Amino acid sequence: MTLVARTSLLVDWRTQDRAGTSMATTESQRRWRGKNHLVKRQLNVMARGLIHEYLDEIAATGDLRGKGEAVTFSAFAVRLLMQQAEYDPDAAQRLANLRETYHRDRDLYQG
């Protein structure tokens, strides 16, 4: 496969998701990056379907604007728990339990 063929496959992959719905074009991604390069960075993460379901649920129950905001909210929630754990033994125990459970079942959650 030539470089040109590989590049066109990459462009096709970026503009359509697995369900066939349109995603951001390369041009709109470039504009977004140009506008937000000082304050935002794009995070592309491969995750199992289970994680996508969790993010959809978090977004729906938290009145959030989708999975991207659900990731942000999840990071915010864990950071808050970490801060509370510094002075609250119950929060420290909850955080320890989360860490232990995640590490025990890590293979279920990683892509």
Side-chain angles (χ1 to χ4, degrees):
M1 184 179 280
T2 66
L3 179 59
V4 172
R6 280 188 241 160
T7 304
S8 70
L9 286 175
L10 180 61
V11 170
D12 290 344
W13 176 80
R14 285 184 175 173
T15 57
Q16 291 222 336
D17 66 7
R18 291 183 185 174
T21 57
S22 293
M23 293 175 58
T25 64
T26 304
E27 176 63 21
S28 65
Q29 288 179 358
R30 186 188 61 71
R31 281 194 314 266
W32 183 91
R33 287 184 187 111
K35 181 176 123 183
N36 295 295
H37 74 281
L38 295 176
V39 293
K40 294 183 179 181
R41 292 184 293 175
Q42 188 171 357
L43 176 65
N44 295 318
V45 178
M46 294 297 293
R48 293 183 182 263
L50 179 65
I51 301 305
H52 285 273
E53 291 172 19
Y54 289 167
L55 291 171
D56 284 333
E57 181 183 352
I58 291 167
T61 59
D63 195 27
L64 304 173
R65 292 178 287 190
K67 289 189 269 187
E69 198 169 32
V71 169
T72 303
F73 176 77
S74 298
F76 169 80
V78 170
R79 183 69 183 129
L80 177 68
L81 187 56
M82 290 169 62
Q83 289 174 346
Q84 290 177 345
E86 293 174 5
Y87 62 87
D88 181 358
D90 291 334
Q93 186 59 53
R94 283 192 299 275
L95 184 59
N97 291 344
L98 280 172
R99 286 179 177 144
E100 179 184 328
T101 302
Y102 175 79
H103 286 289
R104 184 187 63 223
D105 299 333
R106 174 179 269 163
D107 292 339
L108 293 174
Y109 303 114
Q110 290 188 337

